[in-house]
Amino acid sequence: MGLKGYLHDIWEAVATTAKGMRITARYGVDPRETITLQYPEERWEPSERFRGFLHNDIKRCTSCTMCVKVCPVDCISLESVRGADKKLVLASYDINIGRCMYCGLCVEVCPPKSLTHTSGYEKATVTRGELILHFVPEDAEEIKARVAKQVAEAAAKAEAEKSAKAEAPPMGWPAPVFAAGNPGAGADAEKKPAQEPKGEPANREEPPKEGGEKAE
Amino acid sequence: MKGPVDLVFYVLAAVTVGSAILVATLPNIIYAAVALLFAFFGVAGLYILVSADFLAATQVLVYVGGILVLIMFAVFLSSRISSVELSNPVHFRLPAAAICLALFGVLAHTAVSPAFIPKPQVTYQPTTAEIGELLMTRYLLPFEVASVLLLAALIGAALLSRPDRPDIPRPDMEEP
Amino acid sequence: MMESLAVSLVNAVPALSGVPLWTMTLLVMVVVAAVVLTFALLYAGLATYVERKVAGDIQARIGPNRVGPLGLLQFLADGIKLLLKEDIIPAKADRFLFALAPYLVFIGSFAAFVVVPFGVGLIASDLNIGVYYVMAISSLVVVGVMLAGWSSNNKWALLGGMRAAAQIVSYEVPVGMALLPAVLIAGSLSLQDIVRSQGGLLGIFGWNLFHNPFTFVSFFLYYTAALAETNRTPFDIPEAESELVSGYHVEYSGIRFAFFFLAEYGDMFVVSALATACFLGGWHVPFLDAEALPVAWGNLFSLGVFLAKALGLVLLMMWIRWTLPRLRVDQLMRMSWKYLVPITFFNLLGVSLWLLVFHGKGIPRMIASLFG
């Protein structure tokens, strides 16, 4: 390295430093360069197909448990009871969004399209339990008791009609409990037969296959 | 001269002597270096007490900033740095004691001999200009001899730390 | 200066007439020290805020803006946080030295504030050896940093400490050599004398910066070398986050870490103040003669001007920090020994010759005398 190279090095050090400082000065002085979003006050609009928190429109939900079966991380749990009109009544529908990985499979698979991704993404909680979203506002036991009562009433009515009509085929449906999802819900389902209306064990002609067992 | 100045003197002297004793006796070499730091500062304080401010600053700059850092650097670079129990073993106690006693005798004799002329009153006077002038006039030769000696040491150190064979490239020292 | 202040205080207030002079002097010293320390702490706090704001602006962010108006109280929140944090001493660390090191660094950094000439009469102690004193006392920082690195018993801390020591010792040479031109021109090591030597000529053209080409270069050399001595980016290899986590203060937490932090910002100010005093005319107010004004106004103006210049240089340091990437160790040493040291020596020679040939006159003064 001769003198020429030495001087060139010095010149290069000075020139490149000056160039860099000019660039940073431009960023430092120009307020338009600031791209920070003042988050809680202003926020980005999530895109249309953004997969935020899951939302289940329980009025449309048919308790088919497709979402429970397809969920790769088992974050959805569902309990349902057979109502008096033979339709499944949703007793509880919980999604653990702490576990959800926002893959969207449950939304794709949902037959009545009741399950959707919202654009929500803000959920800071103190305890992990708060991360479980409950979609059925009422208590599961209350719903079950109510449905069981309705079923029992319907059965009693059918019985009365049957005795009136003498030899009519049995119409009353029991209230088999369907539970799917996490083990807690399954354990609840095991207890269910005890709460079933007594007196009509013979009426349980054909318990549905998916009922009473865990759909995993 | 009674009062706070005397008190300050005794405190500084105690710090200096106490630290010096610690330097000699502490088994851990790093602790000895730290004690040396306080000894240097004590000496610098004593210089300030006798109005030798330039000398005090030089004491701190050269001994603390140079010598002490070099000592610690050498300790850090030693292979046993990972063991905290760096020791400073004591050897040759008797000869050392004899030499120290002889040196102490010489110093004590000098201190009590009437060669010193006590100044009536210590007043603060800047010494920098005088020192600079004397270094460039009366003591020019010793000054230059000392600098030549240091230059020789510098060149020697550079020569020793070079790789033995200059034809071996040193990748860590090359610009990529 | 302290003694004269004490004397005038004793004379002015009759109630103090019974107090011995040395007690009064000691009292004045303590008060002055407290004032300087308060300034230093306040400055350090605000400097961290400004540093983060500058970083934000340069990186197209906003920076702290939540605590207080414009985030101005952020530094108080940070300070309280640091005070309340747990003080952790690693189990295998050397407890005594681990506790001692932050104080050494802090003292070494803040003792330099003593000779900073804030204004016409605003200087804690106008030492006859001002510049030399700053260089000497800052060597405590090296020892503190090395001890911090060693006592942490951590390989990163040790490497950082050794790098810091090697760096500071190397860069002390160009720093001293780059300051010498100002000392040569003033013929004194006292910072107040150096500042006084730059008066006149509209208060701007008297600056040593414009004295001659060599001093002009000297200023930049000093600034570069001083940047390295304070371990600031781009010369922050002792605490290189990407290699050493954070160097010699990895293991420190809470208030002990705060000491290192304050010392770094204190160092930045001292370096900038020294550059201001030696090259940028110190407290000389442009277009005014601060010394001819009434004492209060003169001090006020000169204090404002000095702080503006010094803090401007601190700001420049922050700007550089957020612009340049970190140097490698060997590049750092190359820069010191192969570039800065030879150039500063050349400069010193140039300034000496200039003073000899032109009888101490600078270019602006020569031009001024040309026009009468």
Side-chain angles (χ1 to χ4, degrees), chain A residues 47-98:
Chain A
S47 78
E48 218 169 287
R49 296 172 63 189
F50 178 76
R51 293 188 200 148
F53 299 145
L54 289 167
H55 177 74
N56 190 9
D57 184 3
I58 53 166
K59 287 193 188 102
R60 290 164 69 187
C61 181
T62 56
S63 314
C64 65
T65 71
M66 290 292 274
C67 48
V68 177
K69 285 173 187 153
V70 82
C71 182
V73 291
D74 295 337
C75 71
I76 305 175
S77 63
L78 181 156
E79 276 184 82
S80 58
V81 282
R82 186 72 74 181
D85 54 354
K86 299 181 193 172
K87 282 184 179 166
L88 285 167
V89 177
L90 204 56
S92 75
Y93 191 93
D94 298 347
I95 295 177
N96 184 350
I97 54 162

Coordinates of all heavy atoms in Angstrom, one line a residue, chain A residues 47-98:
Chain A
S47 N -56.8 -7.3 6.0 CA -57.3 -7.6 4.6 C -58.6 -8.4 4.7 O -59.0 -9.0 5.7 CB -56.3 -8.3 3.8 OG -56.3 -9.7 4.2
E48 N -59.3 -8.5 3.6 CA -60.6 -9.1 3.6 C -60.6 -10.6 4.0 O -61.4 -11.1 4.6 CB -61.1 -9.0 2.1 CG -62.6 -8.7 2.0 CD -63.0 -8.4 0.6 OE1 -62.7 -7.3 0.2 OE2 -63.6 -9.3 0.0
R49 N -59.5 -11.2 3.6 CA -59.4 -12.7 3.8 C -58.5 -12.9 5.1 O -58.0 -14.0 5.2 CB -58.8 -13.4 2.6 CG -59.8 -13.2 1.4 CD -59.2 -13.8 0.2 NE -58.9 -15.2 0.3 CZ -58.2 -15.8 -0.7 NH1 -57.7 -15.2 -1.7 NH2 -58.0 -17.1 -0.5
F50 N -58.3 -11.9 5.9 CA -57.6 -12.1 7.1 C -58.2 -13.1 8.0 O -59.4 -13.1 8.2 CB -57.5 -10.7 7.8 CG -56.7 -10.8 9.1 CD1 -55.3 -10.8 9.1 CD2 -57.4 -10.7 10.3 CE1 -54.7 -10.9 10.3 CE2 -56.7 -10.8 11.5 CZ -55.3 -10.8 11.5
R51 N -57.4 -14.0 8.5 CA -58.0 -15.0 9.4 C -57.7 -14.6 10.9 O -56.7 -14.8 11.4 CB -57.3 -16.4 9.2 CG -57.5 -17.0 7.9 CD -57.0 -18.4 7.9 NE -56.8 -18.9 6.6 CZ -55.8 -19.7 6.2 NH1 -54.9 -20.1 7.1 NH2 -55.7 -20.1 4.9
G52 N -58.8 -14.0 11.4 CA -58.7 -13.5 12.8 C -59.3 -14.6 13.7 O -59.2 -15.8 13.4
F53 N -59.8 -14.1 14.8 CA -60.5 -15.1 15.8 C -61.7 -15.7 15.1 O -62.3 -15.2 14.2 CB -61.0 -14.4 17.0 CG -59.9 -13.7 17.8 CD1 -60.1 -12.5 18.4 CD2 -58.6 -14.3 17.9 CE1 -59.1 -11.9 19.1 CE2 -57.6 -13.7 18.6 CZ -57.8 -12.5 19.2
L54 N -62.0 -17.0 15.5 CA -63.1 -17.7 14.9 C -64.4 -17.2 15.6 O -64.4 -16.8 16.8 CB -62.9 -19.2 15.2 CG -61.9 -19.9 14.4 CD1 -61.6 -21.2 14.9 CD2 -62.3 -19.9 12.9
H55 N -65.4 -17.2 14.8 CA -66.7 -16.8 15.4 C -67.8 -17.9 14.9 O -67.8 -18.2 13.7 CB -67.1 -15.4 15.0 CG -68.5 -15.1 15.5 ND1 -68.7 -14.8 16.8 CD2 -69.7 -15.0 14.9 CE1 -70.0 -14.5 17.0 NE2 -70.6 -14.7 15.8
N56 N -68.6 -18.4 15.8 CA -69.6 -19.3 15.5 C -71.0 -18.6 15.6 O -71.3 -18.2 16.7 CB -69.5 -20.6 16.3 CG -70.4 -21.7 15.8 OD1 -71.0 -21.5 14.7 ND2 -70.5 -22.7 16.5
D57 N -71.7 -18.6 14.6 CA -73.1 -18.0 14.7 C -74.0 -19.2 15.1 O -74.4 -20.0 14.3 CB -73.5 -17.5 13.3 CG -74.9 -16.9 13.3 OD1 -75.4 -16.8 14.4 OD2 -75.3 -16.5 12.3
I58 N -74.2 -19.2 16.5 CA -74.9 -20.4 17.0 C -76.3 -20.6 16.5 O -76.8 -21.7 16.6 CB -74.8 -20.5 18.5 CG1 -75.4 -19.2 19.1 CG2 -73.4 -20.7 19.1 CD1 -75.7 -19.3 20.6
K59 N -76.9 -19.6 16.0 CA -78.2 -19.8 15.4 C -78.2 -20.7 14.2 O -79.2 -21.4 13.9 CB -78.8 -18.4 15.1 CG -79.2 -17.6 16.3 CD -80.0 -16.4 15.9 CE -80.2 -15.5 17.1 NZ -79.3 -14.3 17.0
R60 N -77.1 -20.6 13.5 CA -77.1 -21.4 12.2 C -76.4 -22.7 12.5 O -76.4 -23.6 11.6 CB -76.3 -20.6 11.1 CG -77.2 -19.4 10.6 CD -76.3 -18.5 9.9 NE -75.8 -19.0 8.6 CZ -75.0 -18.4 7.8 NH1 -74.5 -17.2 8.2 NH2 -74.6 -18.9 6.7
C61 N -75.6 -22.8 13.5 CA -74.9 -24.1 13.8 C -75.8 -25.3 14.0 O -76.8 -25.2 14.7 CB -74.0 -23.9 15.0 SG -73.0 -25.3 15.4
T62 N -75.4 -26.4 13.3 CA -76.2 -27.6 13.4 C -75.6 -28.6 14.3 O -76.1 -29.7 14.3 CB -76.4 -28.2 12.0 OG1 -75.1 -28.4 11.5 CG2 -77.1 -27.3 11.1
S63 N -74.5 -28.3 15.0 CA -73.9 -29.2 15.9 C -73.4 -30.5 15.2 O -73.5 -31.6 15.7 CB -74.8 -29.6 17.1 OG -75.4 -28.5 17.6
C64 N -72.9 -30.3 14.0 CA -72.6 -31.5 13.2 C -71.2 -32.0 13.6 O -70.9 -33.1 13.2 CB -72.6 -31.2 11.7 SG -71.3 -30.0 11.2
T65 N -70.4 -31.3 14.4 CA -69.1 -31.6 14.9 C -68.1 -31.8 13.8 O -67.0 -32.4 14.0 CB -69.1 -32.9 15.7 OG1 -69.4 -34.0 14.9 CG2 -70.1 -32.8 16.8
M66 N -68.3 -31.3 12.6 CA -67.3 -31.4 11.5 C -66.1 -30.6 11.9 O -64.9 -31.0 11.7 CB -67.9 -30.8 10.2 CG -68.9 -31.7 9.6 SD -68.2 -33.2 9.0 CE -67.7 -32.7 7.4
C67 N -66.3 -29.4 12.4 CA -65.2 -28.6 12.8 C -64.4 -29.2 13.9 O -63.1 -29.2 13.8 CB -65.7 -27.2 13.3 SG -67.1 -27.3 14.5
V68 N -65.0 -29.9 14.8 CA -64.3 -30.6 15.9 C -63.4 -31.7 15.3 O -62.2 -31.8 15.6 CB -65.2 -31.2 16.9 CG1 -64.5 -31.9 17.9 CG2 -66.1 -30.1 17.5
K69 N -63.9 -32.4 14.3 CA -63.2 -33.5 13.7 C -62.0 -33.0 12.9 O -61.0 -33.6 12.9 CB -64.1 -34.3 12.9 CG -65.0 -35.2 13.7 CD -66.0 -35.9 12.8 CE -67.1 -36.6 13.7 NZ -68.3 -36.7 13.0
V70 N -62.2 -31.9 12.2 CA -61.2 -31.5 11.3 C -60.1 -30.7 12.0 O -59.0 -30.6 11.4 CB -61.8 -30.7 10.1 CG1 -62.0 -29.2 10.6 CG2 -60.9 -30.7 8.9
C71 N -60.3 -30.2 13.1 CA -59.3 -29.3 13.8 C -58.0 -30.0 14.1 O -58.1 -31.0 14.8 CB -59.9 -28.7 15.1 SG -58.8 -27.5 15.8
P72 N -56.9 -29.6 13.5 CA -55.7 -30.3 13.7 C -55.1 -30.2 15.2 O -54.3 -31.0 15.6 CB -54.7 -29.7 12.8 CG -55.5 -28.7 11.9 CD -56.7 -28.4 12.7
V73 N -55.5 -29.1 15.9 CA -55.0 -28.9 17.2 C -56.0 -29.1 18.3 O -55.7 -28.7 19.4 CB -54.3 -27.5 17.3 CG1 -53.1 -27.4 16.4 CG2 -55.3 -26.4 16.9
D74 N -57.2 -29.6 17.9 CA -58.2 -29.9 18.9 C -58.6 -28.7 19.8 O -58.6 -28.7 21.0 CB -57.8 -31.0 19.9 CG -57.7 -32.3 19.1 OD1 -58.3 -32.4 18.0 OD2 -57.0 -33.2 19.6
C75 N -58.8 -27.6 19.2 CA -59.1 -26.4 20.0 C -60.6 -26.1 20.1 O -61.0 -25.3 20.9 CB -58.4 -25.1 19.4 SG -59.0 -24.5 17.9
I76 N -61.4 -26.9 19.3 CA -62.8 -26.7 19.4 C -63.5 -27.8 20.2 O -63.1 -29.0 20.0 CB -63.5 -26.6 18.0 CG1 -62.7 -25.6 17.1 CG2 -64.9 -26.4 18.1 CD1 -63.2 -25.6 15.7
S77 N -64.3 -27.5 21.1 CA -65.1 -28.5 21.8 C -66.6 -28.1 21.8 O -66.9 -27.0 21.7 CB -64.6 -28.6 23.3 OG -64.9 -27.4 23.9
L78 N -67.4 -29.2 21.7 CA -68.8 -28.9 21.4 C -69.6 -29.9 22.2 O -69.2 -31.1 22.3 CB -69.0 -29.2 19.9 CG -70.3 -29.0 19.2 CD1 -70.0 -28.7 17.8 CD2 -71.1 -30.3 19.3
E79 N -70.7 -29.5 22.7 CA -71.7 -30.4 23.4 C -73.0 -30.2 22.8 O -73.4 -29.0 22.6 CB -71.7 -30.1 24.9 CG -70.6 -30.8 25.7 CD -70.8 -30.6 27.2 OE1 -71.7 -31.3 27.8 OE2 -70.2 -29.6 27.7
S80 N -73.8 -31.2 22.6 CA -75.1 -31.0 22.1 C -76.0 -32.1 22.6 O -75.6 -33.1 23.0 CB -75.1 -31.0 20.5 OG -74.6 -32.2 20.1
V81 N -77.3 -31.8 22.6 CA -78.3 -32.7 23.0 C -79.3 -32.8 22.0 O -79.6 -31.9 21.2 CB -78.9 -32.4 24.4 CG1 -78.0 -32.7 25.5 CG2 -79.3 -30.9 24.4
R82 N -80.0 -34.0 21.9 CA -81.0 -34.2 20.9 C -82.3 -33.6 21.5 O -82.7 -33.9 22.5 CB -81.2 -35.7 20.7 CG -82.2 -36.0 19.6 CD -81.7 -35.8 18.2 NE -80.7 -36.8 17.8 CZ -80.0 -36.7 16.6 NH1 -80.3 -35.7 15.8 NH2 -79.1 -37.6 16.3
G83 N -82.8 -32.6 20.7 CA -84.0 -31.9 21.2 C -85.3 -32.7 20.9 O -85.3 -33.8 20.3
A84 N -86.4 -32.1 21.4 CA -87.7 -32.8 21.2 C -88.1 -32.9 19.8 O -88.8 -33.8 19.3 CB -88.8 -32.0 22.0
D85 N -87.6 -31.9 18.9 CA -88.0 -32.0 17.5 C -86.9 -32.7 16.7 O -86.8 -32.5 15.5 CB -88.1 -30.6 17.0 CG -86.9 -29.7 17.3 OD1 -86.0 -30.2 18.0 OD2 -86.8 -28.6 16.8
K86 N -86.2 -33.6 17.4 CA -85.2 -34.5 16.7 C -84.0 -33.7 16.3 O -83.0 -34.3 15.7 CB -85.8 -35.3 15.5 CG -86.9 -36.2 15.9 CD -87.4 -36.9 14.7 CE -88.7 -37.6 15.0 NZ -89.3 -38.1 13.8
K87 N -83.9 -32.4 16.4 CA -82.7 -31.7 16.0 C -81.8 -31.6 17.2 O -82.2 -31.6 18.3 CB -83.1 -30.3 15.6 CG -83.7 -30.3 14.2 CD -84.0 -28.8 13.7 CE -84.5 -28.8 12.3 NZ -85.1 -27.5 12.0
L88 N -80.5 -31.5 16.8 CA -79.5 -31.4 17.9 C -79.5 -29.9 18.4 O -79.5 -29.0 17.7 CB -78.1 -31.7 17.4 CG -77.8 -33.2 17.1 CD1 -76.6 -33.3 16.3 CD2 -77.7 -33.9 18.4
V89 N -79.5 -29.8 19.7 CA -79.5 -28.5 20.4 C -78.1 -28.3 20.9 O -77.5 -29.2 21.6 CB -80.5 -28.4 21.5 CG1 -80.4 -27.0 22.2 CG2 -81.9 -28.6 20.9
L90 N -77.5 -27.2 20.6 CA -76.1 -26.9 21.0 C -76.1 -26.5 22.5 O -76.8 -25.6 22.9 CB -75.6 -25.7 20.2 CG -74.1 -25.5 20.1 CD1 -73.5 -26.8 19.5 CD2 -73.8 -24.3 19.2
A91 N -75.4 -27.3 23.3 CA -75.3 -27.0 24.7 C -74.2 -26.1 25.0 O -74.3 -25.2 25.9 CB -75.2 -28.3 25.5
S92 N -73.0 -26.4 24.4 CA -71.9 -25.5 24.6 C -71.0 -25.6 23.3 O -70.9 -26.6 22.7 CB -71.1 -25.8 25.8 OG -70.4 -27.0 25.6
Y93 N -70.4 -24.5 23.0 CA -69.5 -24.4 21.9 C -68.3 -23.5 22.3 O -68.4 -22.3 22.4 CB -70.2 -23.9 20.7 CG -69.4 -24.1 19.4 CD1 -69.6 -25.2 18.6 CD2 -68.4 -23.2 19.0 CE1 -68.8 -25.4 17.5 CE2 -67.6 -23.3 17.9 CZ -67.8 -24.4 17.1 OH -67.1 -24.6 16.0
D94 N -67.1 -24.2 22.6 CA -66.0 -23.4 23.1 C -64.8 -23.5 22.1 O -64.6 -24.6 21.6 CB -65.5 -23.9 24.4 CG -66.6 -23.8 25.5 OD1 -67.6 -23.1 25.2 OD2 -66.5 -24.4 26.5
I95 N -64.2 -22.4 21.9 CA -62.9 -22.4 21.1 C -61.8 -21.9 21.9 O -61.9 -20.8 22.5 CB -63.1 -21.6 19.8 CG1 -64.2 -22.2 18.9 CG2 -61.8 -21.5 19.1 CD1 -64.4 -21.4 17.6
N96 N -60.8 -22.7 22.0 CA -59.6 -22.2 22.8 C -58.7 -21.5 21.8 O -57.9 -22.1 21.1 CB -58.9 -23.4 23.4 CG -57.7 -23.0 24.3 OD1 -57.3 -21.9 24.2 ND2 -57.2 -24.0 25.0
I97 N -58.8 -20.2 21.8 CA -58.0 -19.4 20.8 C -56.5 -19.3 21.2 O -55.7 -18.9 20.4 CB -58.5 -18.0 20.5 CG1 -58.6 -17.3 21.8 CG2 -59.8 -18.1 19.7 CD1 -58.8 -15.8 21.6
G98 N -56.2 -19.8 22.4 CA -54.8 -19.9 22.7 C -54.2 -21.0 22.0 O -53.0 -21.0 21.8

